[in-house]
Amino acid sequence: MAAKTKLSRTRNIGIIAHIDAGKTTVTERILYYTGESHKMGEVHDGEAIMDWMPQEQERGITITSAVTTCIWKDHDIHIIDTPGHVDFTMEVERCLRVLDGALAVFCAVGGVEPQSETVWHQADKHNVPKIAFINKMDRIGADFVRTVKMMEKRFSSIPLIIQIPYFHDRNFKGAIDLIRQKLIIWNDEKLGLSYELTDIPENLIPQAEKYREKLIETIAEIDDNIAEKYLEGKDISEKEIIESIRKATLSLQVVPVMCGTALRNKGIQPVLDAIVDFLPSPEDVPPVEGMNPQTKKQEKRISSDKEPLAALAFKVAMDGGRKITYLRIYSGKIKVGEDVYNASRGKEEKISRLLKMHANKRERLSEAGAGSILAVVGLKNTLTGDTVCDEAHPIILESIEFYEPVMSQAIEAKTPEDQEKLSSALTKLMDEDPTLSVKYDDETAQTIISGMGELHLEIITDRLIREYHTRVNIGKPKVVYRETIEKSVDVEEKFERELGEKKHFGHVKLHLEPNKRGDGLNLINQTDSTIIPGEFIPVIEEGIRDAALTGVVAGYPATDITASITGGSFKEGESTELGYKIASSTAFKEGCSRAKPVLLEPIMIVNIMTPSEFMGDVIGDINSRRGEVERIDHKGSISEITARLPLKQLFGYSTDLRSATHGRANFSTQFLRYDKSQ
C-alpha cells in the first residue's frame, strides 16, 4: 500500500463557521495551494468551486455541504465545506457526525458570532477536535486578541495561540510563528503561493517571547514531560512542542489558534500544516460503536481495512436524476460490483460505482477502505443515517438526530401533470434533506412543505421550479404549531361494532398528564396480560400515536404528554386489533379535549449584532414583538443582543431591523423550543 493512502496519513475534516466568516474562501485557497484547482474561485463572483449550486452562487452562501479531497505533504485530506446559515444547521450536524476533526473559521471583526458558537458546540457534542483560524485580519476593526478572549469566555477548550499577527504600516502583512520562532511573509505577486520564513523583527521579539512563554506554560500544565523540562529551564524542541500540542488537541483540551486573510492569500499553508500536525487520523479516533441487530448487543469496529465493513450514509444527493449516497467508511473495504447489507432497513444493496469527490467533479475508484469519505452510486434503499455493512457481521451504528421543522408553506401544482412531477420531485428532495417534511391537505387540495426557516423553504421552492421544472403556485410561509394539555385526566373508551360479518371489540382506559416542555409524547403500559393480552399493546400505542398527529385545538400534532394505559378488558373471539386501535385513538382525543388543551408556538433564540447607538430602538422593537431580552454583550461600538421571540413575530423582521439601524445591524435565529403563547 502506498504510504500516502495509509490511515495515519488521512485526515477527515470539516470547515465550520458563522455565515460570512470566510469558510468557502478558505476552502478555495486550500484547493488552489494543494494543486486541486488551477484558478481561485471567489464567492462574491459566484465562481467558488465548492458553492456549485445556482442558489449558492446567486446568494453567495453555502447551502449544501460539498465534499472534496486534496493532498498536502503526502497526506490525503478529505474536506467538507459546511453551511453557516442557521436554516441549514442540520447539514453541519450530519457532517460533524462522520468527521474526525474540524477547522473553525472566525471573522477577526465579528469575533465569536452566534452561529459559530452553535457549530462549535455541535462539534463538542460529537467530540471533534478543532483548530481555529482567525480570518479577515486585513479588515478595518480586525482584533485578534479580542476574538481569542471571546473564545476563552464561550468555549470549554483553551484557545492556544500558536501564531500572532504581524502588521507593517498598519497593514496586515504576515504572522509570527511561535513554535518555530520565525516571521512568515507571503508573496503577493504570486497570489500567496510562496512565502518566506525570516527572523522576527527586533522590536517584536519581546511580544513574541511573551506569547511563546504563555504557549509553553499552557502545554506544560497538560503535559508532564514538557512541565519537567520547562521547570528545569531546558530547551524544548519544535518536535516536542508539536507532539504535545497534538496530544492536547486530540483530547479536546486545547484548540491551536492561527490568523490570516484568505481573500488576500495569507495564512493558508500553516493551516494545512496544522491540519496534518494536530488533527486526528482515523487511527486516532476511538473505535466506532453500534448494535448487532441479531444479538442486540453493542459491538465495536476498529478503523482498519481488515475489520468487517461498517459505513454510515450521512448524505443523499440527486445528480442528473441519479441518486448518490455519501458514505463514511469506519472499517473494512468496499469494492465496485459487490453486494453490501443495509442493516438499518434489512436490505441488500449493490455497489455500482465508487466516486472520490472534488466538489461536484469526481474520480472513479475500484475500491475504498477504512477512513474514506466517498460517494456511492447504486444504493437504492439507503437513506441518511443508515448503516451499510457486511451481512455476515451486521451492525447498526448510531443514527443521526434530525431537527423538527418549524415553518410550513402551501404549494399547489398548476396542472395534474405538474402534480405528478411535484410528488416525484418532493420525494427526491426529502431523500436528500431529512429536515424537509411534506403532507397533502385533502381539504384544501394543497401540498404543505415544512422546513427549518424562510430561507430553507425559499431554496426548496426555487429548486422545484428550476431543477425539477414543476409549475407551482406558492403560498406564504406559516408557522408550524404544536398542541399539548395542561391538566391530568382519566378517560375510558369502548369500541364494539360488527363490520362485515365480524365483531370487533376494544376497551381501553388511559391516564393523560402534561409533560415538561420538549419531552415529547411518552407511552407507558401499566396493565398486565390478564387485562389486555400483550399482543394488543403495540396496536393500542399505534392508535394513540396516530391520534396525536392531529390535535383537538387546531389539528396540529400533540406533544409533551404522557399517556398511560391503565386498564381495559378483553373478550375472547371478539377483541381485535382494529377494535383496540379505534378505542385507544378515540380515548386519546376525548382525553385531550377534556384536559385543557392549548396551542404551543415555536420560540426562537435571536442574536442581533447592532451598533450601540441603535440598541434602544432594537430592544423596544423586540418588546413590541412579545420578545424577551436575555443578555446584552458589548463589543466596542457593537452590541450583541440575545433574545427569545416567537417565530410568528420574525416574519419580515430583517427588513424592519435594517430600516431601524440604517442597514447596519444583522441577526441570526435558532429554534429553542415549543412553548405556550404569551
Side-chain angles (χ1 to χ4, degrees):
M1 196 185 281
K4 70 180 181 188
T5 59
K6 274 177 40 190
L7 271 179
S8 60
R9 292 176 178 272
T10 300
R11 300 287 180 272
N12 290 318
I13 67 149
I15 300 188
I16 59 173
H18 185 88
I19 191 166
D20 211 26
K23 276 185 321 308
T24 302
T25 308
V26 168
T27 315
E28 294 296 319
R29 297 306 182 265
I30 286 174
L31 294 181
Y32 185 68
Y33 297 137
T34 57
E36 284 303 319
S37 65
H38 303 291
K39 176 181 183 288
M40 285 190 191
E42 301 296 5
V43 176
H44 52 266
D45 295 335
E47 289 180 355
I49 293 164
M50 300 298 275
D51 284 351
W52 54 272
M53 285 170 70
Q55 293 84 355
E56 295 178 311
Q57 290 165 355
E58 287 165 3
R59 292 167 177 80
I61 61 167
T62 302
I63 292 166
T64 180
S65 47
V67 181
T68 193
T69 304
C70 60
I71 293 168
W72 183 256
K73 293 192 173 171
D74 213 15
H75 284 67
D76 272 8
I77 302 175
H78 304 290
I79 299 171
I80 300 183
D81 174 27
T82 63
H85 195 285
V86 68
D87 280 16
F88 307 102
T89 194
M90 192 60 235
E91 275 285 320
V92 185
E93 180 80 25
R94 61 179 171 181
C95 293
L96 286 168
R97 170 72 177 78
V98 297
L99 291 169
D100 301 329
L103 166 62
V105 180
F106 296 95
C107 168
V109 182
V112 177
E113 293 168 284
Q115 189 60 15
S116 50
E117 212 172 327
T118 304
V119 292
W120 188 282
H121 294 313
Q122 280 177 299
D124 278 348
K125 182 174 112 182
H126 294 289
N127 295 318
V128 174
K130 297 165 283 294
I131 57 176
F133 178 64
I134 297 177
N135 191 24
K136 305 193 179 184
M137 287 303 305
D138 58 315
R139 294 266 293 271
I140 293 166
D143 193 329
F144 177 78
V145 175
R146 190 193 75 215
T147 305
V148 173
K149 281 188 176 156
M150 287 173 78
M151 290 169 73
E152 272 172 4
K153 191 173 155 190
R154 300 198 183 181
F155 304 140
S156 52
S157 310
I158 302 163
L160 186 73
I161 296 171
I162 60 171
Q163 280 182 355
I164 54 172
Y166 167 65
F167 293 91
H168 185 69
D169 291 339
R170 294 192 177 180
N171 291 322
F172 177 77
K173 289 290 180 189
I176 293 170
D177 184 330
L178 301 173
I179 298 172
R180 294 167 186 84
Q181 292 177 284
K182 291 284 180 187
L183 171 64
I184 313 171
I185 300 284
W186 278 268
N187 186 327
D188 284 334
E189 286 171 26
K190 292 189 177 175
L191 296 173
L193 260 176
S194 62
Y195 57 93
E196 55 178 322
L197 291 172
T198 62
D199 290 335
I200 298 168
E202 267 187 44
N203 62 322
L204 294 175
I205 287 174
Q207 187 192 7
E209 281 180 347
K210 184 185 99 178
Y211 275 103
R212 182 180 159 88
E213 184 82 4
K214 193 167 181 222
L215 164 71
I216 303 291
E217 275 177 16
T218 307
I219 56 175
E221 283 174 22
I222 299 164
D223 188 323
D224 292 344
N225 296 337
I226 300 281
E228 211 172 295
K229 284 198 165 187
Y230 177 64
L231 292 170
E232 288 171 9
K234 288 182 183 170
D235 270 354
I236 301 164
S237 71
E238 190 184 302
K239 186 170 178 274
E240 286 173 313
I241 293 173
I242 290 171
E243 280 173 7
S244 181
I245 294 173
R246 179 179 179 78
K247 229 186 316 180
T249 305
L250 297 190
S251 59
L252 270 67
Q253 290 172 289
V254 303
V255 175
V257 180
M258 288 158 288
C259 61
T261 165
L263 193 63
R264 302 277 174 260
N265 314 314
K266 294 177 174 65
I268 300 300
Q269 293 92 337
V271 168
L272 283 160
D273 289 340
I275 288 168
V276 166
D277 288 342
F278 306 131
L279 290 181
S281 75
E283 287 181 336
D284 297 314
V285 177
V288 69
E289 290 189 21
M291 184 193 73
N292 183 321
Q294 291 167 355
T295 64
K296 306 291 183 209
K297 286 184 179 164
Q298 286 290 310
E299 291 183 8
K300 290 184 180 183
R301 293 281 188 273
I302 295 160
S303 197
S304 159
D305 289 354
K306 296 187 176 87
E307 288 264 305
L309 173 67
L312 187 77
F314 67 94
K315 182 178 163 69
V316 171
M318 291 297 161
D319 185 272
R322 298 187 72 175
K323 182 174 165 185
I324 288 183
T325 311
Y326 287 84
L327 292 184
R328 160 70 196 263
I329 305 176
Y330 286 99
S331 62
K333 276 185 173 182
I334 285 185
K335 289 180 184 165
V336 171
E338 75 177 5
D339 289 335
V340 291
Y341 181 62
N342 180 332
S344 308
R345 302 190 185 274
K347 291 191 174 173
E348 270 195 13
E349 296 267 41
K350 196 168 198 71
I351 305 287
S352 304
R353 277 191 211 166
L354 294 177
L355 303 168
K356 193 178 191 177
M357 302 302 286
H358 302 283
N360 66 333
K361 296 189 180 74
R362 60 215 53 172
E363 171 192 332
R364 284 208 192 185
L365 300 172
S366 57
E367 66 171 42
S372 302
I373 288 181
L374 74 166
V376 180
V377 179
L379 304 182
K380 292 193 174 81
N381 301 304
T382 302
L383 296 176
T384 301
D386 287 358
T387 302
V388 172
C389 61
D390 174 0
E391 194 167 359
H393 303 89
I395 190 169
I396 297 177
L397 304 175
E398 187 191 338
S399 191
I400 299 169
E401 286 175 35
F402 298 117
Y403 301 136
E404 288 283 314
V406 293
M407 195 175 276
S408 66
Q409 189 167 25
I411 51 174
E412 55 188 16
K414 291 189 175 177
T415 66
E417 189 193 336
D418 287 319
Q419 181 59 46
E420 230 169 89
K421 272 191 194 172
L422 178 65
S423 302
S424 158
L426 285 171
T427 304
K428 288 174 181 172
L429 287 171
M430 277 198 293
D431 280 354
E432 281 189 39
D433 183 352
T435 57
L436 171 68
S437 79
V438 177
K439 72 173 186 185
Y440 187 74
D441 189 325
D442 290 321
E443 285 178 27
T444 60
Q446 288 178 321
T447 301
I448 310 293
I449 58 171
S450 305
M452 302 302 293
E454 272 180 286
L455 180 62
H456 187 200
L457 294 178
E458 186 190 313
I459 299 292
I460 294 292
T461 49
D462 191 40
R463 288 186 67 191
L464 281 171
I465 295 161
R466 236 197 267 205
E467 259 174 69
Y468 294 98
H469 312 295
T470 55
R471 294 182 308 147
V472 289
N473 296 320
I474 298 159
K476 282 190 176 155
K478 286 185 180 159
V479 174
V480 177
Y481 291 90
R482 291 283 183 271
E483 298 185 15
T484 193
I485 56 173
E486 290 201 309
K487 68 174 195 177
S488 300
V489 293
D490 289 293
V491 66
E492 180 177 359
E493 192 65 44
K494 244 184 210 169
F495 178 82
E496 210 164 355
R497 195 173 296 172
E498 207 169 294
L499 297 169
E501 290 180 7
K502 189 171 165 51
K503 276 190 175 177
H504 292 273
F505 175 81
H507 176 211
V508 175
K509 291 180 183 177
L510 300 180
H511 174 74
L512 306 185
E513 57 186 65
N515 272 353
K516 276 212 316 267
R517 291 287 169 265
D519 276 3
L521 178 68
N522 298 327
L523 305 182
I524 300 168
N525 177 27
Q526 294 178 345
T527 65
D528 59 46
S529 56
T530 58
I531 299 167
I532 300 172
E535 67 261 28
F536 292 115
I537 299 300
V539 184
I540 293 170
E541 291 179 347
E542 194 186 328
I544 295 170
R545 282 201 184 90
D546 285 354
L549 291 174
T550 47
V552 295
V553 181
Y556 291 105
T559 188
D560 299 345
I561 299 170
T562 294
S564 304
I565 307 161
T566 54
S569 63
F570 169 73
K571 279 189 185 176
E572 190 70 54
E574 290 186 19
S575 286
T576 61
E577 288 191 352
L578 180 67
Y580 281 114
K581 191 173 180 182
I582 294 173
S584 62
S585 180
T586 315
F588 183 81
K589 291 254 187 204
E590 174 63 25
C592 284
S593 57
R594 282 174 23 206
K596 209 176 163 193
V598 290
L599 268 187
L600 299 176
E601 63 179 336
I603 305 295
M604 312 298 281
I605 283 279
V606 185
N607 288 88
I608 303 149
M609 308 285 259
T610 175
S612 298
E613 69 248 42
F614 301 113
M615 197 172 74
D617 293 342
V618 172
I619 290 172
D621 186 44
I622 289 168
N623 294 334
S624 73
R625 291 172 189 266
R626 297 191 285 128
E628 205 177 296
V629 174
E630 282 197 342
R631 196 176 77 212
I632 299 169
D633 291 321
H634 299 287
K635 305 173 183 176
S637 61
I638 300 285
S639 295
E640 182 187 339
I641 301 164
T642 306
R644 280 185 300 186
L645 273 151
L647 176 61
K648 190 180 180 186
Q649 301 295 330
L650 286 171
F651 288 129
Y653 182 58
S654 55
T655 311
D656 294 348
L657 181 68
R658 273 200 296 271
S659 60
T661 60
H662 302 201
R664 289 168 63 197
N666 60 55
F667 77 105
S668 68
T669 64
Q670 192 180 343
F671 175 68
L672 175 65
R673 63 167 178 266
Y674 277 96
D675 216 334
K676 202 174 152 188
S677 301
Q678 296 301 313

mmCIF file of all heavy atoms in Angstrom, residues 90-115:
data_model
loop_
_atom_site.group_PDB
_atom_site.id
_atom_site.type_symbol
_atom_site.label_atom_id
_atom_site.label_comp_id
_atom_site.label_asym_id
_atom_site.label_seq_id
_atom_site.Cartn_x
_atom_site.Cartn_y
_atom_site.Cartn_z
ATOM 1 N N MET A 90 -28.639 21.501 10.051
ATOM 2 C CA MET A 90 -28.682 20.035 10.001
ATOM 3 C C MET A 90 -27.582 19.488 9.103
ATOM 4 O O MET A 90 -27.033 18.425 9.350
ATOM 5 C CB MET A 90 -30.060 19.588 9.488
ATOM 6 C CG MET A 90 -30.330 18.114 9.670
ATOM 7 S SD MET A 90 -30.267 17.628 11.389
ATOM 8 C CE MET A 90 -29.063 16.326 11.296
ATOM 9 N N GLU A 91 -27.247 20.248 8.033
ATOM 10 C CA GLU A 91 -26.143 19.843 7.155
ATOM 11 C C GLU A 91 -24.848 19.747 7.970
ATOM 12 O O GLU A 91 -24.047 18.845 7.782
ATOM 13 C CB GLU A 91 -25.943 20.880 6.036
ATOM 14 C CG GLU A 91 -26.835 20.687 4.848
ATOM 15 C CD GLU A 91 -26.420 19.523 3.948
ATOM 16 O OE1 GLU A 91 -25.221 19.320 3.716
ATOM 17 O OE2 GLU A 91 -27.304 18.794 3.489
ATOM 18 N N VAL A 92 -24.653 20.720 8.869
ATOM 19 C CA VAL A 92 -23.439 20.737 9.705
ATOM 20 C C VAL A 92 -23.467 19.534 10.650
ATOM 21 O O VAL A 92 -22.473 18.826 10.806
ATOM 22 C CB VAL A 92 -23.345 22.050 10.528
ATOM 23 C CG1 VAL A 92 -22.035 22.122 11.281
ATOM 24 C CG2 VAL A 92 -23.492 23.268 9.615
ATOM 25 N N GLU A 93 -24.633 19.318 11.265
ATOM 26 C CA GLU A 93 -24.783 18.236 12.247
ATOM 27 C C GLU A 93 -24.423 16.886 11.633
ATOM 28 O O GLU A 93 -23.681 16.098 12.196
ATOM 29 C CB GLU A 93 -26.236 18.223 12.753
ATOM 30 C CG GLU A 93 -26.554 17.166 13.768
ATOM 31 C CD GLU A 93 -26.120 17.515 15.185
ATOM 32 O OE1 GLU A 93 -25.991 18.704 15.519
ATOM 33 O OE2 GLU A 93 -25.893 16.577 15.956
ATOM 34 N N ARG A 94 -24.964 16.610 10.435
ATOM 35 C CA ARG A 94 -24.715 15.283 9.873
ATOM 36 C C ARG A 94 -23.288 15.132 9.364
ATOM 37 O O ARG A 94 -22.764 14.032 9.308
ATOM 38 C CB ARG A 94 -25.754 14.937 8.803
ATOM 39 C CG ARG A 94 -25.831 15.823 7.589
ATOM 40 C CD ARG A 94 -26.900 15.247 6.682
ATOM 41 N NE ARG A 94 -27.233 16.106 5.551
ATOM 42 C CZ ARG A 94 -28.151 15.770 4.669
ATOM 43 N NH1 ARG A 94 -28.807 14.647 4.788
ATOM 44 N NH2 ARG A 94 -28.433 16.568 3.662
ATOM 45 N N CYS A 95 -22.630 16.251 9.008
ATOM 46 C CA CYS A 95 -21.227 16.170 8.597
ATOM 47 C C CYS A 95 -20.320 15.948 9.804
ATOM 48 O O CYS A 95 -19.391 15.127 9.759
ATOM 49 C CB CYS A 95 -20.808 17.431 7.851
ATOM 50 S SG CYS A 95 -21.656 17.587 6.284
ATOM 51 N N LEU A 96 -20.598 16.666 10.895
ATOM 52 C CA LEU A 96 -19.765 16.506 12.095
ATOM 53 C C LEU A 96 -19.866 15.083 12.645
ATOM 54 O O LEU A 96 -18.941 14.583 13.271
ATOM 55 C CB LEU A 96 -20.177 17.520 13.174
ATOM 56 C CG LEU A 96 -19.743 18.956 12.903
ATOM 57 C CD1 LEU A 96 -20.436 19.915 13.857
ATOM 58 C CD2 LEU A 96 -18.227 19.114 13.024
ATOM 59 N N ARG A 97 -21.000 14.441 12.389
ATOM 60 C CA ARG A 97 -21.199 13.063 12.861
ATOM 61 C C ARG A 97 -20.161 12.116 12.248
ATOM 62 O O ARG A 97 -19.799 11.114 12.849
ATOM 63 C CB ARG A 97 -22.631 12.655 12.499
ATOM 64 C CG ARG A 97 -22.992 11.207 12.673
ATOM 65 C CD ARG A 97 -23.102 10.832 14.142
ATOM 66 N NE ARG A 97 -23.518 9.450 14.272
ATOM 67 C CZ ARG A 97 -22.721 8.411 14.113
ATOM 68 N NH1 ARG A 97 -21.459 8.591 13.830
ATOM 69 N NH2 ARG A 97 -23.180 7.179 14.258
ATOM 70 N N VAL A 98 -19.691 12.417 11.016
ATOM 71 C CA VAL A 98 -18.776 11.483 10.337
ATOM 72 C C VAL A 98 -17.348 12.020 10.214
ATOM 73 O O VAL A 98 -16.498 11.367 9.634
ATOM 74 C CB VAL A 98 -19.308 11.116 8.926
ATOM 75 C CG1 VAL A 98 -20.636 10.395 9.035
ATOM 76 C CG2 VAL A 98 -19.417 12.322 8.015
ATOM 77 N N LEU A 99 -17.082 13.212 10.763
ATOM 78 C CA LEU A 99 -15.738 13.790 10.635
ATOM 79 C C LEU A 99 -14.883 13.486 11.857
ATOM 80 O O LEU A 99 -15.386 13.240 12.940
ATOM 81 C CB LEU A 99 -15.848 15.310 10.456
ATOM 82 C CG LEU A 99 -16.440 15.736 9.109
ATOM 83 C CD1 LEU A 99 -16.764 17.210 9.119
ATOM 84 C CD2 LEU A 99 -15.483 15.409 7.984
ATOM 85 N N ASP A 100 -13.562 13.533 11.646
ATOM 86 C CA ASP A 100 -12.633 13.282 12.761
ATOM 87 C C ASP A 100 -12.125 14.581 13.370
ATOM 88 O O ASP A 100 -11.736 14.620 14.533
ATOM 89 C CB ASP A 100 -11.433 12.456 12.267
ATOM 90 C CG ASP A 100 -11.868 11.122 11.683
ATOM 91 O OD1 ASP A 100 -12.883 10.590 12.155
ATOM 92 O OD2 ASP A 100 -11.200 10.632 10.758
ATOM 93 N N GLY A 101 -12.071 15.649 12.561
ATOM 94 C CA GLY A 101 -11.542 16.921 13.055
ATOM 95 C C GLY A 101 -12.235 18.080 12.366
ATOM 96 O O GLY A 101 -12.951 17.895 11.383
ATOM 97 N N ALA A 102 -12.041 19.296 12.890
ATOM 98 C CA ALA A 102 -12.692 20.462 12.285
ATOM 99 C C ALA A 102 -11.757 21.665 12.299
ATOM 100 O O ALA A 102 -10.955 21.836 13.224
ATOM 101 C CB ALA A 102 -13.978 20.798 13.035
ATOM 102 N N LEU A 103 -11.887 22.479 11.251
ATOM 103 C CA LEU A 103 -11.215 23.775 11.193
ATOM 104 C C LEU A 103 -12.306 24.813 11.394
ATOM 105 O O LEU A 103 -13.225 24.916 10.580
ATOM 106 C CB LEU A 103 -10.526 23.958 9.832
ATOM 107 C CG LEU A 103 -10.063 25.378 9.480
ATOM 108 C CD1 LEU A 103 -9.010 25.876 10.463
ATOM 109 C CD2 LEU A 103 -9.519 25.448 8.061
ATOM 110 N N ALA A 104 -12.241 25.542 12.500
ATOM 111 C CA ALA A 104 -13.238 26.575 12.788
ATOM 112 C C ALA A 104 -12.698 27.917 12.297
ATOM 113 O O ALA A 104 -11.585 28.306 12.661
ATOM 114 C CB ALA A 104 -13.522 26.637 14.284
ATOM 115 N N VAL A 105 -13.475 28.590 11.464
ATOM 116 C CA VAL A 105 -13.051 29.884 10.908
ATOM 117 C C VAL A 105 -13.837 30.991 11.612
ATOM 118 O O VAL A 105 -15.061 30.921 11.707
ATOM 119 C CB VAL A 105 -13.296 29.936 9.378
ATOM 120 C CG1 VAL A 105 -12.864 31.278 8.805
ATOM 121 C CG2 VAL A 105 -12.553 28.803 8.681
ATOM 122 N N PHE A 106 -13.109 32.006 12.113
ATOM 123 C CA PHE A 106 -13.751 33.148 12.775
ATOM 124 C C PHE A 106 -13.403 34.416 12.016
ATOM 125 O O PHE A 106 -12.306 34.535 11.466
ATOM 126 C CB PHE A 106 -13.258 33.289 14.225
ATOM 127 C CG PHE A 106 -13.621 32.134 15.099
ATOM 128 C CD1 PHE A 106 -12.736 31.088 15.298
ATOM 129 C CD2 PHE A 106 -14.863 32.073 15.708
ATOM 130 C CE1 PHE A 106 -13.074 30.006 16.084
ATOM 131 C CE2 PHE A 106 -15.213 30.998 16.507
ATOM 132 C CZ PHE A 106 -14.317 29.958 16.699
ATOM 133 N N CYS A 107 -14.323 35.378 12.021
ATOM 134 C CA CYS A 107 -14.051 36.683 11.416
ATOM 135 C C CYS A 107 -13.377 37.548 12.480
ATOM 136 O O CYS A 107 -13.893 37.681 13.593
ATOM 137 C CB CYS A 107 -15.355 37.307 10.950
ATOM 138 S SG CYS A 107 -15.178 39.035 10.502
ATOM 139 N N ALA A 108 -12.225 38.140 12.150
ATOM 140 C CA ALA A 108 -11.473 38.942 13.130
ATOM 141 C C ALA A 108 -12.233 40.189 13.555
ATOM 142 O O ALA A 108 -11.964 40.762 14.610
ATOM 143 C CB ALA A 108 -10.112 39.337 12.541
ATOM 144 N N VAL A 109 -13.223 40.610 12.738
ATOM 145 C CA VAL A 109 -14.013 41.793 13.096
ATOM 146 C C VAL A 109 -15.207 41.373 13.957
ATOM 147 O O VAL A 109 -15.458 41.923 15.020
ATOM 148 C CB VAL A 109 -14.501 42.547 11.827
ATOM 149 C CG1 VAL A 109 -15.275 43.798 12.217
ATOM 150 C CG2 VAL A 109 -13.318 42.895 10.924
ATOM 151 N N GLY A 110 -15.940 40.368 13.502
ATOM 152 C CA GLY A 110 -17.141 39.917 14.223
ATOM 153 C C GLY A 110 -16.832 39.076 15.454
ATOM 154 O O GLY A 110 -17.651 38.975 16.364
ATOM 155 N N GLY A 111 -15.665 38.435 15.480
ATOM 156 C CA GLY A 111 -15.303 37.582 16.627
ATOM 157 C C GLY A 111 -16.116 36.304 16.649
ATOM 158 O O GLY A 111 -16.445 35.746 15.607
ATOM 159 N N VAL A 112 -16.452 35.853 17.863
ATOM 160 C CA VAL A 112 -17.263 34.634 18.001
ATOM 161 C C VAL A 112 -18.727 35.027 17.797
ATOM 162 O O VAL A 112 -19.347 35.600 18.678
ATOM 163 C CB VAL A 112 -17.048 33.974 19.386
ATOM 164 C CG1 VAL A 112 -17.950 32.757 19.536
ATOM 165 C CG2 VAL A 112 -15.596 33.578 19.565
ATOM 166 N N GLU A 113 -19.244 34.736 16.613
ATOM 167 C CA GLU A 113 -20.619 35.110 16.289
ATOM 168 C C GLU A 113 -21.578 33.972 16.658
ATOM 169 O O GLU A 113 -21.150 32.841 16.871
ATOM 170 C CB GLU A 113 -20.696 35.462 14.797
ATOM 171 C CG GLU A 113 -19.899 36.728 14.477
ATOM 172 C CD GLU A 113 -19.713 36.957 12.999
ATOM 173 O OE1 GLU A 113 -18.886 36.269 12.386
ATOM 174 O OE2 GLU A 113 -20.394 37.831 12.448
ATOM 175 N N PRO A 114 -22.890 34.283 16.742
ATOM 176 C CA PRO A 114 -23.850 33.290 17.253
ATOM 177 C C PRO A 114 -23.779 31.919 16.584
ATOM 178 O O PRO A 114 -23.727 30.896 17.242
ATOM 179 C CB PRO A 114 -25.203 33.959 16.993
ATOM 180 C CG PRO A 114 -24.910 35.417 16.968
ATOM 181 C CD PRO A 114 -23.527 35.567 16.440
ATOM 182 N N GLN A 115 -23.756 31.892 15.238
ATOM 183 C CA GLN A 115 -23.784 30.588 14.572
ATOM 184 C C GLN A 115 -22.460 29.844 14.729
ATOM 185 O O GLN A 115 -22.433 28.620 14.759
ATOM 186 C CB GLN A 115 -24.156 30.763 13.094
ATOM 187 C CG GLN A 115 -24.439 29.473 12.342
ATOM 188 C CD GLN A 115 -25.587 28.658 12.908
ATOM 189 O OE1 GLN A 115 -26.378 29.152 13.695
ATOM 190 N NE2 GLN A 115 -25.678 27.409 12.534
#
